Amino acid sequence: MKQYILKRLLLIIPVLIGITVITFAIVHLTPGGFVRSNMEMNVKVSPDSMERLKVLYGLDRPLYEQYFKWLWRFVRFDFGESFIDNRPVLDKVLERLPATLLLNIVSLTVIFFLGIIIGVTSALKRNSFYDRFMTLFTFIGYSVPAFWLALILMMVFAVKWPILPVSGITSFNFDMMSAGEQALDVMWHLILPVFITAFGGLAYISRYVKSSMIESLTQQYTIAAYAKGLPENRIIYKNALKNSLLPVITLLGLSLPGLIGGSFIFETIFAWPGMGRLAYESAMTFDYPVIMGTVTMAAFLTLLGNLIADISYALVDPRIRYR
Amino acid sequence: MSIIEIKSLSVDYALGQNGVLHALRNVNLEVNAGESIAIVGESGCGKSTFASSLVKLLALNSKAAGQVLIDGNDVLAMTNRELEAIRGVKAGTIFQDPAASLNPVFSVKEQIEETITAHLKVRDKVELKQRAIKLLEETGIKETQRVYEAYPHQLSGGQQQRVMTAIALSCSPKILIADEPTTALDVTVQAQIIALLKRLKKERNLTLILITHDLHLALDLCARIIVMYAGEVVEDAEIKSETDSKHPYTRALFEIIPDINEDRHEFSVIPGEVPELKTVMNECYFRNRCVKAGKKCSESHPEMENGVRCFYPYTKGRLKA
Ligand SMILES: Nc1ncnc2c1ncn2[C@@H]1O[C@H](COP(=O)(O)OP(=O)(O)OP(=O)(O)O)[C@@H](O)[C@H]1O
Ligand SMILES: [Mg+2]
């Protein structure tokens, strides 16, 4: 097992390098570019000084040279500085990370918690009105575009009846609150974004849990459990449930990239001070080092999430033991 | 008093738009404590349905009528709660495919001990382990400690069936229902499991209800043979050899067994097909395949008489009519 984890950790390196190569290429080949998009509108900047700027940032060098330079700094955990405000990229990313992690972890928890409950109850009452209603409800969540729903809900609950904050993660007077009030304030800001992400993600998990629960309830080992005279609750919520939750662990690992990727647009709408918004802002200004920093971090988190999912799978399913 | 008494038991399966299937029709049976019976018949004749009705483990689309009395109490009339107190306690069950019957994500330890805890309310870890190990030893498992801690996939088919047997007997039921317990196992392992069942039956004075399509196995383990055809009992008698049987269908079952003593090794089948189970007909269901079928057989449905449901039965002790 230890060897397996080590192997998987080492495997992250080539994948990460691959991802950075592709991102680097896409970002630098995009028409526009840092110097032009930031300076061209400014009449006071002469073409001459634009050239000098390019040289200063090393943007005149061939692409592969720029990449290797970036990689060489990256392996020493040096992500460079932002072109826009000259602050270290690592600082900028790390200060945005908690907000993204908070939103994603809370959303994932809600999605899995509700998804499992809906999936299991639908499996137990399949074809009932409840089951059909839940199918419809979760599919609406699945089909409605998150950004659209976000705008509608913001309009209703933050503008028309202002019971929830429009955006952001804290109120403007956050600094003057006590610790307890601060926690409540953050939770209050989390309601809308978490609701929207959860609503969109529920269908996926609940359908999955429902079908795997139905499957384990019809397996021979469930019939055998009844034949043993075990209490029905134990058969359903222990014996059958454990079997049907195994695939859900894999699902958890697979849904991480979607959530982190989805944050790009989502965090922008909600002015959520997370990595997604940072990536969006840096993309709009062609701030190459920050773009690379956020993408690398997102890729790393995704790969780590997959690894954790695989390891937990191995821990709960006795049939799988990695070597 | 008889330990099991079945009174006009019928089980229908709803087939949606395709009507209903009569899987069991008016089965009457009495089994004394310590007596062992074998239910034999071709595939689809209702053997498993019979086994499941004994502890009301029937599929959701089924409808049962009649009575199944165990120790005088009607199982079919019981609530789920009451059934939990019967299953595993009065009657343990083992199934055809032990690999599928054991839950893959729980260890043998957990699967034996949860049964003991559920029924006997034993929670003490040391006592639970003692009981589990003892059961594993009783079912002839060699490396008890390893098997105790193992997960089902780490065991051989034979070990899995022994573990299933240990679980089924963990709360000392007087009845053991075994639905094709050896069909999924290979031949040498089959012989071992049969020997095990024989020994347990004797040691624990079990009432064994053996479900099988293998007449040899039935004769080997049980004195009393119940032959089923199209959901009905067609013969119910003490049978040791072909000449003991009276029903042409039972004789036909004997004829198709490859006999080691004879020079006939190819498998044969009874010609013709089992009738549709969807209709109730006023005739003998076996008549189209029967060598002895006569006029009466197509005019009315035979009733059980002297342990056989036939208008023209063979005479006991004679090979030909
Ligand atoms: N849940 C069900 N719904 C509909 N029909 C069923 C159901 N279960 C069994 N049947 C049908 O009932 C009949 C009797 O089935 P049963 O399983 O009792 O037969 P069996 O004698 O055990 O056969 P085998 O030797 O193949 O195990 C078969 O025709 C089968 O197709
Ligand atoms: Mg069967």
Side-chain angles (χ1 to χ4, degrees):
Chain A
M1 190 75 182
K2 264 192 202 125
Q3 252 188 343
Y4 169 76
I5 297 175
L6 200 71
K7 207 169 83 191
R8 285 289 305 267
L9 278 172
L10 287 177
L11 260 175
I12 287 187
I13 297 170
V15 178
L16 214 52
I17 291 179
I19 292 173
T20 56
V21 169
I22 294 169
T23 320
F24 200 87
I26 292 176
V27 167
H28 280 84
L29 295 177
T30 308
F34 170 70
V35 175
R36 261 177 66 199
S37 66
N38 285 292
M39 304 300 168
E40 209 157 56
M41 298 296 151
N42 196 335
V43 279
K44 279 182 228 146
V45 182
S46 67
D48 220 32
S49 54
M50 273 171 62
E51 271 319 300
R52 260 182 284 126
L53 255 175
K54 270 193 184 164
V55 176
L56 180 66
Y57 286 122
L59 296 174
D60 57 331
R61 312 301 304 165
L63 214 50
Y64 66 88
E65 196 185 314
Q66 291 185 41
Y67 176 72
F68 280 114
K69 237 178 174 167
W70 179 85
L71 191 64
W72 176 236
R73 298 177 76 175
F74 168 66
V75 294
R76 289 170 294 157
F77 293 103
D78 177 4
F79 288 87
E81 284 92 36
S82 162
F83 283 178
I84 300 293
D85 56 12
N86 283 325
R87 291 184 52 217
V89 171
L90 199 59
D91 288 0
K92 289 189 77 155
V93 171
L94 285 183
E95 76 188 15
R96 295 298 191 96
L97 195 56
T100 292
L101 286 183
L102 178 71
L103 181 58
N104 280 321
I105 289 173
V106 174
S107 304
L108 268 186
T109 313
V110 172
I111 289 177
F112 275 79
F113 187 72
L114 290 181
I116 289 171
I117 291 179
I118 294 177
V120 169
T121 46
S122 305
L124 293 177
K125 298 185 181 169
R126 77 198 88 137
N127 296 328
S128 68
F129 173 76
Y130 169 83
D131 178 24
R132 273 165 225 198
F133 173 79
M134 277 305 170
T135 306
L136 185 69
F137 175 75
T138 53
F139 263 93
I140 291 175
Y142 183 74
S143 341
V144 167
F147 70 90
W148 178 82
L149 185 66
L151 292 175
I152 298 284
L153 291 182
M154 278 158 97
M155 232 170 71
V156 175
F157 291 107
V159 181
K160 204 145 189 231
W161 298 292
I163 48 170
L164 290 172
V166 185
S167 61
I169 187 171
T170 52
S171 303
F172 62 92
N173 56 348
F174 186 73
D175 291 336
M176 291 177 299
M177 295 177 183
S178 67
E181 284 172 338
Q182 286 188 340
L184 280 178
D185 189 52
V186 171
M187 276 198 255
W188 187 50
H189 281 80
L190 271 171
I191 294 176
L192 261 191
V194 167
F195 174 79
I196 291 159
T197 11
F199 191 37
L202 264 184
Y204 198 45
I205 303 296
S206 61
R207 303 283 324 179
Y208 210 93
V209 172
K210 179 183 160 187
S211 65
S212 67
M213 189 70 187
I214 288 178
E215 193 190 310
S216 37
L217 282 175
T218 49
Q219 292 291 312
Q220 179 70 34
Y221 56 74
T222 300
I223 299 173
Y226 277 102
K228 282 157 75 171
L230 298 185
E232 188 159 29
N233 279 338
R234 188 188 167 95
I235 297 173
I236 295 172
Y237 297 107
K238 179 147 190 227
N239 299 29
L241 190 61
K242 184 165 179 192
N243 278 282
S244 56
L245 287 190
L246 289 183
V248 175
I249 297 170
T250 317
L251 225 54
L252 186 67
L254 290 178
S255 53
L256 279 178
L259 275 177
I260 294 170
S263 316
F264 281 57
I265 301 162
F266 201 70
E267 289 184 359
T268 308
I269 296 175
F270 275 100
W272 194 262
M275 255 175 46
R277 186 149 146 255
L278 180 66
Y280 176 79
E281 288 162 1
S282 54
M284 296 317 271
T285 53
F286 287 90
D287 191 347
Y288 298 132
V290 180
I291 300 177
M292 290 306 292
T294 48
V295 169
T296 313
M297 184 58 91
F300 178 71
L301 287 179
T302 304
L303 294 172
L304 202 64
N306 284 339
L307 177 60
I308 292 174
D310 285 350
I311 292 173
S312 8
Y313 198 102
L315 286 180
V316 287
D317 190 339
R319 287 164 297 185
I320 298 171
R321 289 283 184 256
Y322 296 114
R323 243 159 294 152
Chain B
M1 195 176 76
S2 41
I3 190 166
I4 302 176
E5 195 177 347
I6 294 167
K7 292 182 181 167
S8 34
L9 170 68
S10 298
V11 175
D12 291 348
Y13 289 113
L15 299 178
Q17 290 163 349
N18 295 323
V20 277
L21 185 149
H22 308 291
L24 284 185
R25 312 173 196 231
N26 192 24
V27 174
N28 289 284
L29 203 62
E30 249 181 80
V31 187
N32 292 320
E35 189 183 23
S36 287
I37 61 167
I39 316 283
V40 295
E42 286 166 291
S43 180
C45 69
K47 303 184 298 291
S48 293
T49 306
F50 175 81
S52 342
S53 14
L54 290 179
V55 283
K56 207 180 171 190
L57 264 181
L58 290 161
L60 289 174
N61 61 334
S62 67
K63 217 177 108 201
Q67 284 183 315
V68 175
L69 306 175
I70 291 191
D71 284 337
N73 301 311
D74 186 6
V75 171
L76 295 183
M78 284 184 188
T79 63
N80 281 347
R81 258 295 147 69
E82 292 167 326
L83 285 168
E84 280 163 18
I86 294 281
R87 297 173 182 156
V89 179
K90 298 244 163 153
T93 313
I94 56 176
F95 298 94
Q96 175 169 350
D97 187 353
S101 305
L102 290 164
N103 195 322
V105 299
F106 290 93
S107 65
V108 168
K109 163 189 155 71
E110 290 167 295
Q111 300 193 50
I112 298 183
E113 292 179 358
E114 67 178 351
T115 320
I116 301 176
T117 306
H119 293 302
L120 308 179
K121 310 291 171 224
V122 176
R123 289 202 170 74
D124 179 57
K125 287 211 176 95
V126 181
E127 193 191 338
L128 280 173
K129 180 167 179 181
Q130 274 175 356
R131 281 174 181 261
I133 296 275
K134 198 160 159 259
L135 283 161
L136 291 176
E137 278 167 0
E138 193 186 344
T139 49
I141 281 174
K142 300 262 157 48
E143 324 143 86
T144 40
Q145 187 62 37
R146 181 184 80 83
V147 172
Y148 174 71
E149 282 160 14
Y151 285 88
H153 73 280
Q154 297 165 326
L155 305 176
S156 69
Q159 285 172 324
Q160 287 169 338
Q161 195 60 297
R162 286 176 200 271
V163 168
M164 273 309 290
T165 312
I167 293 174
L169 295 180
S170 61
C171 300
S172 314
K174 279 284 152 226
I175 304 168
L176 180 65
I177 304 163
D179 188 355
E180 311 255 13
T182 59
T183 312
L185 306 172
D186 64 49
V187 189
T188 45
V189 184
Q190 277 185 12
Q192 293 169 8
I193 296 294
I194 292 162
L196 170 70
L197 290 176
K198 260 189 195 165
R199 176 165 64 78
L200 289 172
K201 191 180 71 160
K202 205 164 141 211
E203 285 174 2
R204 289 188 169 230
N205 192 24
L206 290 173
T207 300
L208 178 70
I209 313 290
L210 176 73
I211 313 289
T212 180
H213 59 261
D214 181 348
L215 199 50
H216 260 324
L217 177 59
L219 297 174
D220 192 10
L221 272 169
C222 306
R224 183 169 161 202
I225 310 288
I226 316 270
V227 183
M228 291 190 58
Y229 189 78
E232 280 183 325
V233 174
V234 294
E235 183 156 13
D236 175 355
E238 306 229 330
I239 296 176
K240 285 191 193 66
S241 65
E242 182 171 355
T243 49
D244 291 339
S245 66
K246 297 187 207 155
H247 200 286
Y249 178 60
T250 316
R251 297 249 168 162
L253 284 178
F254 271 105
E255 290 299 321
I256 60 169
I257 310 176
D259 196 332
I260 317 162
N261 302 323
E262 276 176 49
D263 247 2
R264 198 171 51 112
H265 293 294
E266 80 279 15
F267 279 96
S268 48
V269 289
I270 305 173
E273 273 172 47
V274 187
E276 267 219 335
L277 297 173
K278 286 190 220 161
T279 44
V280 181
M281 294 176 293
N282 192 27
E283 59 185 60
C284 172
Y285 295 128
F286 186 57
R287 83 183 160 89
N288 290 331
R289 304 168 75 187
C290 185
V291 288
K292 293 195 78 181
K295 193 163 166 288
K296 273 197 207 165
C297 306
S298 54
E299 285 169 353
S300 62
H301 188 69
E303 292 301 320
M304 272 307 256
E305 230 172 290
N306 298 324
V308 63
R309 189 188 291 277
C310 185
F311 292 120
Y312 309 104
Y314 286 87
T315 320
K316 193 172 165 169
R318 277 204 276 162
L319 207 50
K320 291 275 174 284

